Amino acid sequence: MKRIFLASVLAIFSAGIVASSAAAESTLERIKRTGVVQIGFSNEKPYSFKQPDGSLAGVDYELARAAFAKLGVHTVDGVAVKFSTLIPGLKAGHFDAIAAGLFIRPDRCAEIAFAEPHIQIADAITVQKGNPKNIHSYDDVLKNPTIKIGTQQGSASRKDFERLGIPESQLVVFQDFPEVFFALKSGRVDLTTSTIFAANESIAADGGKSVERATPFTLPVFDGKPSINYLGFGFRKDDQDLVTAFNGALRAFRGTPDYEAILAKYSVTSADVPSPDVKLADICKE
């Protein structure tokens, strides 16, 4: 009887040691051990998206794959989710990082850790063909209460609309960007705002038949500066060692011929890459 009791105690003790060791393994240690990392993405061009054959592509996906490869992690699997669930999914452990053209914003910095910004980009407005409501700025939107803006749940643009004083009554919220774009094409909304990259991709996919860029477009000004968005890869707050390693790997890759080839493939120019003087800490506290 004593032997059975002792064996049971030892088994429980051993199981506890194994569980403790597993729990102590960081995300960085795990992905290095397994050679596999999972990224969350929202299937939006040109950042990270599925191709017809099911493979992944996109500037964020390829930059992430190159950086992780420098860390010895050569398999980058994607988990497609709605844009609004990217941050909750990351925090819940459904994937290890976000590679989805995510804007770095102070409220997001409070929830997750970001790598240093890798792309800077201004917004563009996409309207129906011919721009029937003559929209060239957000002032035009404020002057015409019949104008409806299509936006996606969780979008950083909604904070800008709030700061600009655009009322909720002029916003129509959808789950993801494809739904927003379809609403624009069908006339349910009058405009949608997105990055220049996303606007160009959407218009190209439409063949320019029903939508177009609103040009010229006057960028909103906040705190005396035209609105520029900075994109970053997202990580969990307790994965700071992974963030540090990823930053170093991406920094080492920056400027190489392969790096330049990835940017060119997705029509990203050197002007779209932030200066090394642009720091995450400053963006997060704005």
Side-chain angles (χ1 to χ4, degrees), residues 69-282:
K70 287 186 173 294
L71 300 178
V73 181
H74 295 283
T75 299
V76 180
D77 291 335
V79 179
V81 299
K82 297 288 188 183
F83 184 86
S84 59
T85 62
L86 282 168
I87 290 177
L90 174 68
K91 293 171 71 175
H94 297 160
F95 36 84
D96 305 307
I98 296 173
L102 193 63
F103 290 178
I104 302 170
R105 293 292 174 93
D107 57 334
R108 290 175 177 166
C109 294
E111 288 197 74
I112 64 172
F114 279 96
E116 290 292 332
H118 61 287
I119 291 176
Q120 63 184 22
I121 190 169
D123 276 349
I125 280 182
T126 307
V127 295
Q128 293 168 21
K129 192 74 173 178
N131 197 359
K133 292 198 174 177
N134 197 30
I135 305 165
H136 294 284
S137 69
Y138 289 122
D139 283 341
D140 293 333
V141 176
L142 287 166
K143 291 173 186 175
N144 185 350
T146 69
I147 292 175
K148 297 293 185 182
I149 301 176
T151 187
Q152 60 184 337
Q153 188 173 345
S155 169
S157 296
R158 295 194 66 186
K159 293 287 186 182
D160 290 342
F161 300 150
E162 185 179 333
R163 293 175 72 184
L164 291 165
I166 296 174
E168 286 286 329
S169 61
Q170 288 186 255
L171 305 182
V172 184
V173 183
F174 300 90
Q175 282 293 314
D176 54 31
F177 187 74
E179 289 183 11
V180 176
F181 189 67
F182 181 77
L184 177 64
K185 289 176 64 176
S186 62
R188 290 180 60 194
V189 299
D190 301 297
L191 71 92
T192 181
T193 181
S194 65
T195 65
I196 290 172
F197 298 147
N200 289 344
E201 287 280 355
S202 299
I203 292 166
D206 174 66
K209 294 179 292 185
S210 55
V211 297
E212 64 182 43
R213 285 265 304 278
T215 54
F217 170 58
T218 303
L219 287 173
V221 175
F222 297 117
D223 300 322
K225 298 180 291 185
S227 177
I228 299 292
N229 301 299
Y230 295 97
L231 277 56
F233 296 96
F235 301 87
R236 284 182 288 274
K237 284 278 192 181
D238 56 1
D239 284 338
Q240 195 55 56
D241 57 339
L242 175 56
V243 178
T244 300
F246 185 89
N247 275 333
L250 193 57
R251 187 166 53 246
F253 184 56
R254 185 171 174 172
T256 65
D258 287 344
Y259 171 88
E260 299 295 342
I262 290 173
L263 297 190
K265 182 177 178 180
Y266 297 101
S267 301
V268 181
T269 70
S270 57
D272 303 316
V273 178
S275 160
D277 295 334
V278 177
K279 298 298 184 184
L280 173 69
D282 295 326

